[in-house]
Amino acid sequence: MKYLIWIVAIVMFANTTNAQEKLPVIVPYNPQDIRELYLDSKNHHTTFKIILHEDTSAMYTQPDTTKRSLVHRKLFNEHLLEFRNKDYNVFIDFLPDFQVGKSKDGSRTTWLNTRGAIIQANIGEKFYFESSFFENQGKFPGYLDQYIRKNQIVPGQGGIKDYSNGKAFDFNYANALLSYTPNKYLNVTAGYGQNFIGDGYRSLILSDIQFSYPYLKLTGTLGNVQYTAMWAQFMDKHSKDFAQAYDDLGYYKKWGVFHFLDWNVSKRLTIGFFDAVIWPDADSSGRKRGFDWSYMNPIIFLRSAEFSEGSSDNALVGLNAKFKLLPKTTIYGQLVLDEFKLKEVFGGKGWWANKQSAQLGFRSFDIFNINKLDLQGEFNAVRPYTYSYKSTMINYEHYNQSLAHPLGANFWEVLGIATYRLKRWYGRGEIMYSKYGDDPDATTNYGHDISRPYTIRPKDYGNWIGQGIKTQLLYAQGTVAYVLNPKYNLRLEASLAARQLKNNMDTKNDLIFSFGLRSTFRQFYYDF
């Protein structure tokens, strides 16, 4: 990673633009604002998130000059601390997440105590950075408690320590971002956080459901084409015993390189091409490999480079597309190929290494002509063994969570999400139904758990989605919130969720109510 830092420094301080050129401040979009990109008549690049844009309000607008008290302004309209200047702006906020609730017919009390802080700033017109840190203690609903204890991680939020005599968990996490935009054609971003590739709620290419990781991202834009190359370092918590033997340097590391070419073919159609390679930091014998400089090649489709190295690195390719069907309706989809043999795909025999996934969905805005009433529908299907490998040292996973879908593989899913905003009121409803095939024991792998090696599969042919213990998952949630301060999404929020997991062996039901004072724009995914 130290070599990547040197690359960032070289690019940042290279004389890449005329000193007289004046550019607006480049900052990230908040997720809530991305809907405006889909409604714009211009076809924007909306797929690779975090999305940066030319700032028009957050940095250079003047503070509220109306005759309001300091407490009123800070609670409802301003950042906690604001330092505004023509040459730089700095904003600091306290980010609480205090929740209390009941689950499973009121028999289990749940709670969350999060104290977070964030600093956001621009230096001149080309540099933007932000950093946040969160300290947490919490007690979760039964199904999440079981997941956390099994995987030793709170979904998307880091490893755990026992708290309150083992009845709750203590955990923390941090994010950081440094962005440099020397001109309108190039952006360099170094960060510690998550990325997302797709136009849907889920991503089968690269999702943001997991714990933070360090990355370096170069994005070039020329006309209707945007090209992104990203290098990242991931951790494999499953191989802890091996990591202890390997110089006792903590969890085992692995590397990833991602390329994404996004082409706005027309005002309505966008097509994106994707590839990725995951490789281990060291082999199973402990021999150090580190960052493989052959993967610094920024050109897309590195399968040829990976093959020429004579390696068995884990390579994926994919396709993302969106089409504006109507002025306020966009359809989108994804296709990922983890393994592909044309003969086997069309042979129809269910070869185990037909490892593919697909997505199809839509976004509709202002439905029934009601302003800010939006609807999203989505279908996802992932064949058995997709994203898995012989070992977790090289599978498509980070910190015990998938880099793609939270359900792993060997499933299909359909979901619908409706949101509505009225002034500072916000409502959201979601329903998700999925069928997947689970494993009967630890010695058999039907392809659902991507952390398990595909070498223990029971058969080479006759592998279909849902094989194994046929399981049905139903999840529904309704949320109502009042936004106290839109600057950092401070809100009072109430939520009610119902979850049912059913198969031939058991039926588990959860009814979860929660209420709290919450903030930040990041979403956590508990609908699995």
Side-chain angles (χ1 to χ4, degrees):
M1 183 56 67
K2 64 180 180 180
Y3 301 109
L4 300 183
I5 295 174
W6 275 109
I7 293 172
V8 174
I10 292 171
V11 174
M12 283 183 173
F13 294 102
N15 186 19
T16 55
T17 184
N18 189 297
Q20 301 300 317
E21 184 179 2
K22 296 295 183 181
L23 299 175
V25 179
I26 307 297
V27 298
Y29 267 112
N30 289 325
Q32 295 177 353
D33 299 327
I34 292 177
R35 74 184 297 273
E36 305 304 324
L37 299 180
Y38 290 94
L39 290 172
D40 198 323
S41 59
K42 181 181 178 182
N43 196 359
H44 294 273
H45 298 285
T46 58
T47 304
F48 207 133
K49 306 173 179 71
I50 304 168
I51 300 176
L52 301 173
H53 71 113
E54 297 179 354
D55 177 74
T56 58
S57 61
M59 295 298 177
Y60 281 158
T61 52
Q62 295 299 315
D64 186 1
T65 58
T66 59
K67 293 182 179 180
R68 302 282 191 179
S69 69
L70 178 65
V71 173
H72 185 279
R73 297 201 314 268
K74 294 302 179 183
L75 183 60
F76 295 106
N77 295 308
E78 297 180 4
H79 296 278
L80 179 63
L81 297 176
E82 300 187 358
F83 305 94
R84 298 178 182 270
N85 189 284
K86 291 183 179 180
D87 299 321
Y88 65 86
N89 294 276
V90 180
F91 305 100
I92 302 174
D93 290 302
F94 171 64
L95 303 180
D97 196 347
F98 304 137
Q99 297 183 60
V100 63
K102 289 283 188 178
S103 71
K104 206 165 185 178
D105 298 326
S107 63
R108 181 182 179 91
T109 299
T110 62
W111 52 268
L112 182 65
N113 177 13
T114 294
R115 292 87 59 211
I118 185 171
I119 178 171
Q120 301 168 286
N122 73 288
I123 303 174
E125 299 166 332
K126 302 174 183 179
F127 285 93
Y128 170 82
F129 77 89
E130 66 178 51
S131 180
S132 59
F133 176 80
F134 301 85
E135 175 66 29
N136 319 263
Q137 292 84 37
K139 184 177 180 180
F140 295 86
Y143 80 98
L144 281 177
D145 184 88
Q146 183 179 11
Y147 176 92
I148 293 167
R149 295 182 188 277
K150 176 184 176 182
N151 295 281
Q152 292 295 294
I153 181 173
V154 178
Q157 300 165 76
I160 61 170
K161 294 185 294 184
D162 281 342
Y163 182 80
S164 184
N165 296 321
K167 298 178 181 179
F169 305 105
D170 190 316
F171 56 101
N172 59 70
Y173 60 97
N175 293 283
L177 174 70
L178 172 62
S179 171
Y180 175 61
T181 307
N183 54 51
K184 64 181 181 179
Y185 304 108
L186 176 66
N187 173 264
V188 183
T189 298
Y192 183 71
Q194 301 80 24
N195 293 270
F196 188 98
I197 299 179
D199 291 282
Y201 174 67
R202 310 286 199 189
S203 175
L204 305 180
I205 294 177
L206 179 64
S207 186
D208 59 354
I209 65 173
Q210 63 288 126
F211 184 53
S212 302
Y213 52 85
Y215 64 89
L216 170 66
K217 183 164 58 176
L218 306 180
T219 302
T221 304
L222 185 62
N224 294 328
V225 176
Q226 184 180 85
Y227 185 73
T228 303
M230 186 178 79
W231 298 266
Q233 186 185 67
F234 305 114
M235 284 190 284
D236 177 18
K237 289 193 68 176
H238 296 288
S239 301
K240 183 176 181 179
D241 293 339
F242 170 73
Q244 290 177 341
Y246 176 49
D247 293 335
D248 197 25
L249 294 179
Y251 296 120
Y252 181 85
K253 308 297 191 300
K254 51 187 172 182
W255 298 87
V257 57
F258 304 82
H259 299 116
F260 187 73
L261 175 66
D262 203 39
W263 176 29
N264 288 336
V265 181
S266 68
K267 290 184 177 181
R268 291 192 172 191
L269 176 64
T270 299
I271 299 176
F273 302 93
F274 160 83
D275 78 353
V277 178
I278 307 293
W279 73 92
D281 192 56
D283 58 29
S284 58
S285 65
R287 183 179 59 185
K288 181 74 173 179
R289 179 178 176 183
F291 185 83
D292 192 331
W293 287 91
S294 64
Y295 290 134
M296 279 304 295
N297 182 350
I299 306 303
I300 197 170
F301 298 132
L302 279 175
R303 182 67 184 184
S304 58
E306 180 262 342
F307 180 78
S308 67
E309 288 288 304
S311 73
S312 57
D313 296 340
N314 187 8
L316 299 87
V317 296
L319 175 72
N320 187 91
K322 69 171 183 179
F323 180 76
K324 185 172 286 190
L325 187 65
L326 298 169
K328 294 187 178 182
T329 298
T330 296
I331 57 175
Y332 59 85
Q334 291 184 335
L335 177 66
V336 175
L337 306 178
D338 193 356
E339 298 280 352
F340 184 82
K341 284 189 178 181
L342 191 64
K343 177 183 176 182
E344 297 291 356
V345 170
F346 290 100
K349 298 181 180 180
W351 186 44
W352 74 273
N354 284 343
K355 299 192 293 179
Q356 299 101 35
S357 57
Q359 177 187 88
L360 182 63
F362 72 89
R363 287 173 175 261
S364 289
F365 304 96
D366 302 334
I367 59 175
F368 307 123
N369 291 322
I370 300 176
N371 186 39
K372 295 187 178 181
L373 176 60
D374 304 334
L375 180 65
Q376 182 175 12
E378 189 171 296
F379 174 80
N380 297 290
V382 182
R383 281 189 49 81
Y385 309 108
T386 306
Y387 308 117
S388 65
Y389 214 71
K390 298 177 184 178
S391 167
T392 56
M393 299 180 193
I394 197 174
N395 70 337
Y396 207 63
E397 187 181 47
H398 166 61
Y399 221 73
N400 290 7
Q401 282 194 281
S402 170
L403 287 171
H405 199 288
L407 286 176
N410 190 22
F411 73 89
W412 62 260
E413 170 197 56
V414 61
L415 62 87
I417 299 172
T419 61
Y420 178 57
R421 299 181 186 278
L422 179 63
K423 297 181 180 179
R424 296 200 177 195
W425 287 97
Y426 170 76
R428 181 183 186 274
E430 175 190 352
I431 186 166
M432 182 272 284
Y433 179 75
S434 175
K435 283 189 175 182
Y436 65 86
D438 211 347
D439 297 327
D441 52 58
T443 62
T444 307
N445 180 13
Y446 280 104
H448 174 59
D449 187 348
I450 69 171
S451 67
R452 308 189 69 186
Y454 55 57
T455 52
I456 59 173
R457 61 186 181 273
K459 53 188 176 180
D460 287 344
Y461 289 91
N463 295 282
W464 312 105
I465 292 177
Q467 65 181 13
I469 300 177
K470 299 185 183 303
T471 304
Q472 302 177 52
L473 173 62
L474 176 64
Y475 183 92
Q477 183 181 33
T479 301
V480 177
Y482 181 78
V483 179
L484 297 171
N485 193 323
K487 292 293 186 181
Y488 51 102
N489 200 22
L490 180 67
R491 62 200 185 275
L492 292 170
E493 181 179 290
S495 174
L496 180 64
R499 180 182 184 271
Q500 182 184 77
L501 185 71
K502 183 179 180 180
N503 54 39
N504 292 332
M505 302 173 62
D506 195 10
T507 297
K508 297 180 179 179
N509 294 293
D510 275 306
L511 186 64
I512 306 151
F513 171 77
S514 65
F515 176 81
L517 176 68
R518 312 192 65 192
S519 63
T520 81
F521 291 94
R522 188 186 172 194
Q523 177 174 320
F524 299 113
Y525 300 85
Y526 297 150
D527 49 352
F528 60 88

